[in-house]
Amino acid sequence: MFLLKPINHIGQYTLFLGQTLRKPEKWNVFGRNILAEIDKVGVDSLGIVTLISLFVGAVITIQTANNLDNPFIPTYTVGFAARECIILEFSPTIICLVLAGKVGSNISSEIGTMRITEQIDALDIMGVNSAGYLAAPKIIAMIISVPLLVIYSIAIGIYGGYLAGKFTGLVPPDDFIYGIHFSLKPHYIPYSLFKSTIFGFIIASISSYCGYYTKGGALEVGKSSTTAVVISSIVILMFNLVITQLILS
Amino acid sequence: MIEAQGVVKIFGGRTILHGIDATFETGKTNLIIGKSGSGKTVLLKSLVGLYDIDGGDIHYDGRSTISLNRKQKDQLRREVGMLFQGSALFDSKTVEENVRFPLDMFTDMSLEERRERANFCLQRVNIINSNHLYPSEISGGMQKRVAIARAIALNPKYLFCDEPNSGLDPVTASVIDELISEITKEYGITTIMNTHDMNSVFSIGEKIIFISEGNKAWEGSSDTIVDSGCQQLEEFIHTTRNIVKHLK
């Protein structure tokens, strides 16, 4: 019996996605909405992504350098390890978990408020496909924005590591840069971008779903928002495991 | 004309509407009245298609809604305007953008034509020089008038109003009532309004349906409502009158 509720939600989520992916009423309105959402979910997230990437990149470098005190291990290994951590895990996964909190809760509360104030009913009455009108531009905007944010985060994270190594004197800049280039596996980048695209879809679709089916009042909007962040984060972590196993193993 | 035939609505095993039959006439302000919790909002939302009915049928000028496919339903909805209890204006859009929204979505008019039509509708409801304001920046009465302007933007055949004057002062409520009544006559719309305000009943009610515990208890006009012979309706009217007398 305890499985009934999750199965019910999965079914309802699938139907919601079906409704979302229907042909838009007006393509130019749809296009404008996508651009507005890219601005909201992508451009507005640049600040937080910069800050987190810079500091975490720096911390990864310092911690790696402090733990590799064996004289037989060359210092460029620090740059190498920082690059691997940032490209493989930090930028695609941790940044997406941060975005699940920032963007996911925003999407859910926005759509949830529209639900409880009957704005979604107003769209339905007009004959507008409300799920498509509200959720589809957000999903597409996230699919476009998140990989770009991840590329940006990788660059800033590595730069943060470089600065930390240079100013603490733990890793000489030339060694760090050598480590960054050392044994680079080019397929790690598409793997990272593929993962982040899937995570972007997960964040936008689950958050939209939670908001769209909000029932009640302001309290429930808050609950939907929390649920959206928690479920998105769990699903991201699960998919992270599955994708990593499928692609890298 | 909208006809409800044996409309049944069940929520979680509890029957809210017990087979309601009613006819709502074209060019008239049809009112659904009843106590809170009597099922009038459920009836209105079932009529407009926001709730799927569990029994019976609803006909819009002879078109049975249960036999329509999704495309036909979407088409029918473009002939419908609705005024919600809380206005339901889009927070992120200005007054003008709200009124222009149905035109943006469903017409091939140029931006100039859409703006012209939106301004015409806004002027019709006496909203002037507020096009650039957001819903949060205008009063409740103005929000209701903007919502009426949005509802009539596509020249609807059917207008649904869910307690349009709730939360408004009596003077503004009366203005909204008059506006709905005027628009109904002017455009020959089938208007269905849900209310428990007896002022609305006596001032604009042309056809009245009284709902009690999910059943249609009485049907008539504002001229015959006082001598309805329906005990529940008389209790409803007398309670309202006693409150007014007490206030006097």
Side-chain angles (χ1 to χ4, degrees):
Chain A
M1 283 301 278
F2 73 95
L3 275 175
L4 220 59
K5 213 174 168 186
I7 290 170
N8 184 32
H9 276 297
I10 291 168
Q12 202 174 17
Y13 171 74
T14 312
L15 290 174
F16 173 74
L17 281 185
Q19 204 185 332
T20 301
L21 299 174
R22 262 164 49 186
K23 191 181 149 213
E25 282 81 12
K26 266 278 173 74
W27 284 103
N28 58 349
V29 175
F30 186 64
R32 270 203 306 272
N33 287 348
I34 291 174
L35 290 179
E37 292 298 334
I38 287 176
D39 183 49
K40 214 156 62 177
V41 301
V43 179
D44 285 359
S45 302
L46 275 174
I48 194 163
V49 170
T50 307
L51 210 65
I52 294 173
S53 304
L54 196 70
F55 281 98
V56 173
V59 169
I60 289 172
T61 303
I62 293 168
Q63 286 189 354
T64 312
N66 284 331
N67 284 292
L68 293 179
D69 53 359
N70 190 323
F72 294 106
I73 299 174
T75 42
Y76 69 76
T77 315
V78 177
F80 169 76
R83 184 200 73 202
E84 297 290 86
C85 277
I86 290 168
I87 292 178
L88 290 173
E89 222 32 59
F90 166 68
S91 289
T93 309
I94 306 301
I95 287 294
C96 282
L97 288 173
V98 171
L99 289 176
K102 183 192 176 283
V103 180
S105 64
N106 184 288
I107 290 174
S108 179
S109 55
E110 181 189 322
I111 297 180
T113 305
M114 287 186 79
R115 167 62 75 194
I116 65 159
T117 55
E118 297 181 311
Q119 293 176 50
I120 293 181
D121 288 344
L123 285 170
D124 288 333
I125 292 295
M126 287 177 204
V128 176
N129 168 18
S130 56
Y133 179 79
L134 296 171
K138 294 182 198 307
I139 294 172
I140 294 171
M142 281 296 271
I143 287 174
I144 295 169
S145 306
V146 173
L148 295 175
L149 284 172
V150 166
I151 293 173
Y152 176 72
S153 163
I154 291 171
I156 296 291
I158 290 174
Y159 185 61
Y162 170 83
L163 290 179
K166 184 178 173 184
F167 290 115
T168 56
L170 289 167
V171 191
D174 289 346
D175 284 0
F176 189 84
I177 290 168
Y178 180 78
I180 294 295
H181 290 102
F182 179 74
S183 184
L184 182 69
K185 288 179 180 135
H187 70 276
Y188 279 3
I189 303 284
Y191 154 78
S192 177
L193 297 183
F194 174 72
K195 245 181 21 170
S196 56
T197 307
I198 300 290
F199 296 162
F201 173 81
I202 288 169
I203 296 167
S205 60
I206 290 179
S207 305
S208 300
Y209 168 78
C210 290
Y212 194 80
Y213 290 101
T214 302
K215 278 180 190 152
L219 197 68
E220 281 74 16
V221 173
K223 279 183 188 166
S224 295
S225 213
T226 311
T227 310
V229 175
V230 172
I231 303 289
S232 302
S233 303
I234 294 170
V235 176
I236 284 173
L237 294 172
M238 280 164 53
F239 269 76
N240 188 30
L241 181 71
V242 173
I243 294 168
T244 306
Q245 179 66 22
L246 286 177
I247 298 180
L248 294 188
S249 291
Chain B
M1 187 167 74
I2 297 175
E3 285 177 276
Q5 296 174 346
V7 172
V8 175
K9 182 66 198 166
I10 302 165
F11 280 117
R14 202 172 138 234
T15 307
I16 307 296
L17 300 177
H18 302 264
I20 289 187
D21 293 302
T23 305
F24 303 96
E25 292 165 22
T26 307
K28 285 189 177 176
T29 312
N30 302 272
L31 301 189
I32 301 171
I33 61 169
K35 288 190 288 188
S36 296
S38 58
K40 55 186 192 302
T41 297
V42 175
L43 175 61
L44 191 87
K45 289 192 173 179
S46 300
L47 289 171
V48 81
L50 280 174
Y51 294 151
D52 290 329
I53 54 175
D54 298 299
D57 198 0
I58 296 159
H59 291 262
Y60 279 68
D61 288 316
R63 289 171 288 179
S64 159
T65 52
I66 54 167
S67 59
L68 297 177
N69 61 30
R70 202 189 71 216
K71 217 170 185 181
Q72 289 168 322
K73 270 187 186 164
D74 283 347
Q75 199 58 46
L76 176 65
R77 281 180 171 177
R78 279 160 215 170
E79 297 172 15
V80 171
M82 184 155 178
L83 180 57
F84 288 87
Q85 201 171 346
S87 303
L89 295 175
F90 304 123
D91 302 326
S92 57
K93 294 186 189 295
T94 62
V95 163
E96 188 191 299
E97 286 166 350
N98 262 286
V99 179
R100 227 175 56 205
F101 182 79
L103 303 166
D104 292 343
M105 295 301 287
F106 301 115
T107 68
D108 293 321
M109 293 160 92
S110 67
L111 179 64
E112 199 57 41
E113 288 169 328
R114 280 178 276 146
R115 293 190 73 172
E116 205 174 289
R117 173 71 187 156
N119 280 321
F120 171 80
C121 293
L122 284 168
Q123 278 167 16
R124 179 65 194 83
V125 297
N126 300 319
I127 299 278
I128 299 155
N129 295 332
S130 302
N131 293 27
H132 60 288
L133 297 175
Y134 284 90
S136 58
E137 297 170 327
I138 57 176
S139 68
M142 279 174 85
Q143 286 182 11
K144 291 276 161 70
R145 282 188 281 153
V146 174
I148 294 174
R150 185 178 68 180
I152 62 168
L154 281 176
N155 279 323
K157 282 187 182 172
Y158 317 99
L159 181 65
F160 293 83
C161 310
D162 184 16
E163 300 194 21
N165 42 26
S166 74
L168 298 178
D169 65 86
V171 177
T172 312
S174 164
V175 169
I176 297 293
D177 282 346
E178 286 305 321
L179 200 54
I180 291 169
S181 178
E182 280 170 27
I183 285 167
T184 303
K185 296 270 175 300
E186 213 171 298
Y187 299 103
I189 302 172
T190 307
T191 296
I192 305 177
M193 183 169 140
N194 191 348
T195 187
H196 47 64
D197 181 358
M198 290 311 288
N199 286 329
S200 305
V201 173
F202 289 113
S203 60
I204 62 162
E206 289 172 286
K207 176 158 189 183
I208 298 150
I209 287 165
F210 177 67
I211 303 288
S212 177
E213 290 169 5
N215 293 293
K216 184 179 81 178
W218 183 82
E219 186 174 350
S221 68
S222 56
D223 300 329
T224 56
I225 195 167
V226 182
D227 305 310
S228 64
C230 170
Q231 200 191 336
Q232 294 139 310
L233 178 58
E234 280 170 8
E235 275 172 20
F236 179 73
I237 297 170
H238 290 307
T239 312
T240 317
R241 281 186 168 176
N242 285 342
I243 294 167
V244 174
K245 263 186 203 168
H246 180 74
L247 288 172
K248 277 179 180 171

